[in-house]
Amino acid sequence: MHATDTPPPLPHHRPLLDPAAEYGRWITERPLARITLWGDTHPWLVTRHEDARAVLGDPRFSARNVRPGFPGLQPTPPPPTPGQLFAMDPPDHTRLRRMLIPEFTFRRVEQLRPAVRRITGELLDGLVEKGPPADLVEHFTLPLPLLVICELLGVPYADREFIHRHAAAFATVSAGPEAMRAGWAALFGYLQELLAAKSREPGDDLMSKLAVERVATKEATAAEAAGMLVQLLVAGHETTASMLSLGVVALLRHPDQLNALRADDDLVPGAVEELLRYLTVVHIGLRRIAVEDAEIGGVTIRAGEGVVVALQSANRDPAVFGDPDTLDLTRDAGHHLAFGHGPHHCLGQSLARAELQIALPMLFDRLPTLRLTGPPAERHAFEGRAVHGVSELPVAW
């Protein structure tokens, strides 16, 4: 490419189960090179697994999306928002994240597994009672993680339509900055009110613990707590719902892999890791900005330059995963980057794993003849969403 050429745009499109085709070329032809955002900004795009880990684990790359030059989701920088862990750096990021860690440890999530099994079973009972045909998103893949995160946080599931509507607005890039901010503001105000109510009448849930143990003791402000809760509520159901939906499609499109999964319960944990790698639903990149000069993959990224880390490309890196475009539930995919890496790696990854490990086998055990009622290409893929997925999944059995 000549110096006067405009770098290519960051792909927002993608096929249902695969990354955009550009990544397959770029990872070998231009693994760390400029792209174009919003017509006049040209951050670096990181496509290789090794380089992605390097950037995400390096404190010289900041996650603060209000820094000048940050390669944000919108041309205009967002206003500073309390409690948004994904857009914070140490020491504030460390201070707030530490408050949440006890609720998301492996041991704590293991204690939640019976509740996940109960919720999964109840949803499957309702699905069977309704009978085919059915929209699996409406009746299973969306309500399951939303019910689980609502129970964990202490949020009334009765408010699910309000929650999902505003969470979707907050996560839809193509809706524009005002709509995204309105979605955030609606959830923020809603959770501030709930947090205040929990401080008066606490229960046995994460929100109550934040109100009593952190806000009341001045370790965190009410605004910081509400901001963290918004992030947990949105991320805690959007990504897992998408993974469940696309996981069903991927398994139905690969019947040999589904049969192997059905035949061997011991395959389930590794199969979930492979599905996470293969699908990588966070598909518009993790964004960073260099605060010091740093060399990544033999390229010097200068202070003030933005970086977009393409997780879906890193998880299809042929240098790390043999035959990366093939779904192979027997492969060792545990070193994938679907949950990110470094200090901002997904706090709820153990919970997401538990939900996937429980829900997918239970679904196929209960509905062994489950099938799509049309080709997957006819499903309605989300457009302009930070999380890739499907809005409808018509099935029968």
Side-chain angles (χ1 to χ4, degrees):
M1 185 173 67
H2 299 294
T4 56
D5 290 345
T6 300
L10 178 70
H12 280 191
H13 61 278
R14 61 178 284 181
L16 192 61
L17 300 181
D18 296 303
E22 289 92 327
Y23 290 114
R25 301 192 304 270
W26 292 349
I27 199 167
T28 54
E29 296 174 3
R30 51 191 311 274
L32 207 163
R34 299 279 193 175
I35 53 167
T36 296
L37 289 181
W38 319 124
D40 58 354
T41 59
H42 306 293
W44 296 95
L45 179 69
V46 173
T47 57
R48 290 186 300 209
H49 187 277
E50 180 182 0
D51 296 341
R53 282 179 56 93
V55 169
L56 296 176
D58 192 328
R60 292 175 296 179
F61 293 93
S62 169
R64 289 191 65 220
N65 59 4
V66 295
R67 288 183 181 271
F70 189 91
L73 299 180
Q74 298 288 346
T76 305
T81 308
Q84 277 195 346
L85 290 173
F86 67 85
M88 299 174 71
D89 294 332
D92 285 339
H93 174 266
T94 308
R95 172 178 63 88
L96 294 178
R97 184 182 171 101
R98 191 175 290 141
M99 298 177 188
L100 302 175
I101 287 176
E103 295 302 314
F104 292 95
T105 61
F106 177 80
R107 181 177 180 181
R108 172 64 176 134
V109 169
E110 288 300 295
Q111 295 170 347
L112 293 173
R113 281 180 178 263
V116 176
R117 289 192 186 92
R118 171 181 56 78
I119 291 169
T120 303
E122 291 170 354
L123 288 172
L124 288 173
D125 288 344
L127 188 63
V128 170
E129 182 178 350
K130 178 193 178 300
D135 177 8
L136 202 65
V137 171
E138 179 183 355
H139 296 285
F140 187 70
T141 63
L142 179 60
L144 172 57
L146 189 52
L147 273 163
V148 172
I149 198 66
C150 282
E151 187 164 308
L152 176 65
L153 297 184
V155 173
Y157 184 67
D159 296 335
R160 60 190 177 277
E161 291 185 9
F162 171 89
I163 293 166
H164 182 62
R165 181 172 72 254
H166 291 291
F170 173 55
T172 303
V173 180
S174 59
E178 293 307 316
M180 293 179 72
R181 290 169 191 166
W184 168 272
L187 291 174
F188 184 77
Y190 166 76
L191 287 165
Q192 274 191 310
E193 291 181 6
L194 275 181
L195 192 67
K198 295 283 186 181
S199 67
R200 297 188 295 269
E201 297 183 26
D204 184 22
D205 52 64
L206 190 153
M207 196 183 312
S208 295
K209 292 176 183 176
L210 280 177
V212 173
E213 299 174 9
R214 306 299 185 180
V215 176
T217 60
K218 309 297 185 186
E219 292 182 51
T221 66
E224 287 174 330
M228 288 191 290
L229 289 165
V230 172
Q231 186 173 338
L232 291 174
L233 187 58
V234 174
H237 82 274
E238 285 269 329
T239 51
T240 306
S242 291
M243 270 301 307
L244 283 169
S245 299
L246 293 179
V248 168
V249 175
L251 290 169
L252 290 175
R253 288 187 62 175
H254 297 82
D256 59 326
Q257 299 296 301
L258 177 55
N259 290 337
L261 185 64
R262 283 172 161 157
D264 185 1
D265 289 342
D266 292 338
L267 194 59
V268 171
V272 165
E273 299 307 313
E274 170 66 351
L275 286 167
L276 286 162
R277 178 202 74 84
Y278 182 75
L279 296 169
T280 312
V281 297
V282 177
H283 78 118
I284 56 173
L286 299 185
R287 314 298 178 97
R288 299 290 187 268
I289 187 168
V291 293
E292 301 177 27
D293 291 357
E295 184 175 311
I296 300 293
V299 174
T300 299
I301 299 176
R302 302 294 182 187
E305 293 180 342
V307 180
V308 178
V309 179
L311 298 181
Q312 70 274 46
S313 176
N315 282 340
R316 299 284 185 105
D317 188 341
V320 179
F321 304 101
D323 196 11
D325 295 328
T326 296
L327 179 67
D328 178 4
L329 301 188
T330 65
R331 87 162 78 230
D332 177 11
H335 45 303
H336 66 76
L337 299 178
F339 293 116
H341 178 68
H344 285 84
H345 73 275
C346 177
L347 189 65
Q349 61 182 290
S350 292
L351 180 59
R353 286 186 167 103
E355 292 178 57
L356 294 166
Q357 290 168 7
I358 290 168
L360 287 172
M362 285 184 67
L363 172 66
F364 285 108
D365 284 347
R366 188 70 180 275
L367 304 175
T369 59
L370 185 71
R371 66 188 186 279
L372 299 173
T373 56
E378 294 183 5
R379 304 289 73 79
H380 305 291
F382 287 138
E383 296 181 357
R385 296 291 298 275
V387 178
H388 179 60
V390 293
S391 56
E392 297 176 16
L393 198 57
V395 296
W397 56 90

